[in-house]
Amino acid sequence: MLNEDTNILITGATGLIGGELVRRLVGSGVGRVSCLIRPQTGRSADDRLQDRFRLSSDQTCLGGEVPVEAVAGDVTAPQFGMNSADFARVTDSVDMIIHCASELSFIRDISCRQTNIAGMENLISLTRSCKRSPLIVHISTATVCGTVVNRCVTETDDTDTGDGHFNEYTRSKLVAEQVLRASGLPALVVRPSIVLSAELPSENFAKAILWFLPLLNEFEAVPVNPESRVDVVPVSFVVESMVRLLQTPKREYGCYHISAGEGGAMRCEQVARYLDKYYARSTPLTLIRPDQWTREIHRRYVRTPRQRKFFATLKYYLPFLNMDVVYDNSRLGSALGREALEIPHVTEYIGQLLDLVTPAIQEEDGSLSVNRVSAATSLA
């Protein structure tokens, strides 16, 4: 249980969820928060942590007077790549390990396996070296359910292990969960749905997930089911839910969706009409069910080289937009109270994010490589 004496090691602290979680943990009053961060050329682990706090305009953490530290390391390396002194100190004192680090790419398969699966194996090995038997809190994704369609998915709907995934990202996240369960170590798995950086003044975080929305202005129609539901939540809801779960003395389950659920999911038609208004489109964006998107229709609406280039990038997202899947949040509601599930609808804050995304994409002139394609769940 999370309390004022809990010492925490957190991975992925420079990401969207990880960075906000560090800030929330420090504010809630815990022991020391050690952030495992991979140094980059010319930037130390501490530099990167301070840069992350600046993205949130967090003056408290920037002040250096709070119990948070950067530890140089790498989840893909044995002992998380820590030097011997840091490894000894962490394994002697840590009470909880929150694992946010993840490879989010939809196309870098090898990296997904190295970070998501091998990283979990390294985490388990490190945990076995710890003196205090720390709880592992693993930030997974609700999309581990694979290629299911037209359903409200529960936390037990994750039995597929092989071919039933749109990409290696979701498959590797499922395998990581299975590796964790097989270890027998104390663990809590949380599965956010699509997480948006609402209330953060960060162009980078907004672009990372919503970069494709301005590109829809290049098209009169796209192959998206207007009735398909998409489960979206703001990062503040995810972080608050996690902290409250960790503060709960007796959790009934070891896995929880953090999601909008059936009551809060949006339909693609709603988003299309919002975009029509936001961008003042002269012609409303037409959404055509994928099973009705014929070759003839494709040639009609994807004509120019520019459109073909953008469509080739968008196709990685289309399966997720057309799944018509929401993630049941009954467990979360039971643990925290139904009032905890009262979250703002995406149309209440997406305009603020588009204000950040649209100028940035326009400045790039849509020159987006496929390497930008990543999971719309989190940044780590």
Side-chain angles (χ1 to χ4, degrees):
M1 179 179 169
L2 191 68
N3 58 52
E4 61 185 11
D5 297 319
T6 306
N7 293 323
I8 301 167
L9 173 66
I10 182 168
T11 70
T14 59
L16 174 58
I17 294 176
E20 294 307 287
L21 186 55
V22 170
R23 296 174 58 231
R24 178 64 176 83
L25 289 169
V26 170
S28 68
V30 295
R32 176 156 293 278
V33 180
S34 300
C35 304
L36 187 85
I37 298 173
R38 183 176 56 206
Q40 296 178 340
T41 303
R43 299 172 69 208
S44 68
D46 188 64
D47 290 338
R48 296 193 64 203
L49 181 61
Q50 296 301 310
D51 287 345
R52 175 61 185 86
F53 292 147
R54 291 187 185 95
L55 286 177
S56 299
S57 299
D58 190 311
Q59 298 301 316
T60 300
C61 289
L62 283 169
E65 299 178 357
V66 294
V68 58
E69 65 175 354
V71 177
D74 185 343
V75 299
T76 66
Q79 297 187 354
F80 272 5
M82 288 184 279
N83 63 41
S84 56
D86 286 338
F87 181 80
R89 180 169 50 82
V90 167
T91 54
D92 281 349
S93 62
V94 70
D95 302 292
M96 182 181 295
I97 302 175
I98 303 179
H99 188 44
C100 297
S102 181
E103 171 60 75
L104 306 173
S105 174
F106 283 0
I107 60 172
R108 294 192 289 270
D109 293 357
I110 294 176
S111 185
C112 281
R113 290 189 287 271
Q114 289 175 337
T115 302
N116 301 343
I117 300 175
M120 176 58 73
E121 293 168 346
N122 290 332
L123 169 60
I124 290 169
S125 177
L126 182 145
T127 304
R128 294 194 191 283
S129 300
C130 292
K131 293 184 177 180
R132 300 189 180 186
S133 299
L135 173 70
I136 296 175
V137 183
H138 175 48
I139 315 304
S140 185
T141 169
T143 58
V144 294
C145 60
T147 56
V148 299
V149 295
N150 306 322
R151 291 177 58 184
C152 178
V153 173
T154 70
E155 287 87 346
T156 58
D157 294 330
D158 60 352
T159 56
D160 190 284
T161 59
D163 298 330
H165 290 264
F166 292 121
N167 54 49
E168 185 63 14
Y169 165 71
T170 63
R171 194 196 74 84
S172 66
K173 293 294 283 186
L174 174 60
V175 173
E177 284 193 23
Q178 295 169 335
V179 170
L180 177 57
R181 290 195 196 99
S183 74
L185 293 170
L188 171 66
V189 175
V190 293
R191 295 175 176 169
S193 56
I194 299 174
V195 184
L196 297 183
S197 56
E199 300 180 1
L200 267 71
S202 169
E203 174 189 303
N204 289 338
F205 283 141
K207 280 198 305 182
I209 296 177
L210 298 178
W211 59 267
F212 69 97
L213 290 182
L215 300 190
L216 296 179
N217 289 319
E218 299 288 333
F219 302 94
E220 296 176 16
V222 288
V224 173
N225 178 2
E227 295 303 312
S228 181
R229 297 164 295 174
V230 184
D231 196 318
V232 177
V233 291
V235 65
S236 57
F237 171 69
V238 175
V239 168
E240 184 63 26
S241 296
M242 285 183 58
V243 171
R244 289 185 58 184
L245 276 174
L246 293 173
Q247 291 171 335
T248 301
K250 295 182 179 180
R251 291 179 296 271
E252 187 174 356
Y253 302 99
C255 180
Y256 292 84
H257 282 155
I258 301 183
S259 59
E262 288 191 288
M266 66 178 183
R267 296 189 181 275
C268 289
E269 178 69 20
Q270 290 177 279
V271 178
R273 301 293 71 83
Y274 186 94
L275 294 176
D276 289 342
K277 183 177 180 180
Y278 179 87
Y279 289 113
R281 289 179 59 111
S282 58
T283 302
L285 179 65
T286 299
L287 304 184
I288 299 176
R289 291 176 56 95
D291 57 2
Q292 298 173 1
W293 186 266
T294 64
R295 290 186 178 181
E296 179 182 352
I297 290 176
H298 184 88
R299 287 193 294 267
R300 182 189 311 167
Y301 291 115
V302 187
R303 302 182 300 273
T304 68
R306 182 180 175 88
Q307 287 176 326
R308 287 193 289 270
K309 173 184 177 181
F310 291 166
F311 192 87
T313 303
L314 292 174
K315 70 180 181 181
Y316 291 92
Y317 271 29
L318 293 177
F320 293 94
L321 293 177
N322 285 309
M323 287 174 67
D324 187 28
V325 166
V326 296
Y327 305 98
D328 182 71
N329 56 17
S330 298
R331 286 185 178 182
L332 186 67
S334 296
L336 306 184
R338 298 306 300 180
E339 71 281 356
L341 302 183
E342 296 178 2
I343 58 176
H345 192 269
V346 64
T347 54
E348 296 180 32
Y349 57 82
I350 196 171
Q352 300 169 359
L353 298 177
L354 290 174
D355 290 344
L356 296 169
V357 173
T358 303
I361 297 300
Q362 289 175 341
E363 183 176 343
E364 295 176 10
D365 193 31
S367 300
L368 300 169
S369 71
V370 72
N371 289 326
R372 186 186 289 278
V373 179
S374 63
T377 52
S378 66
L379 293 176

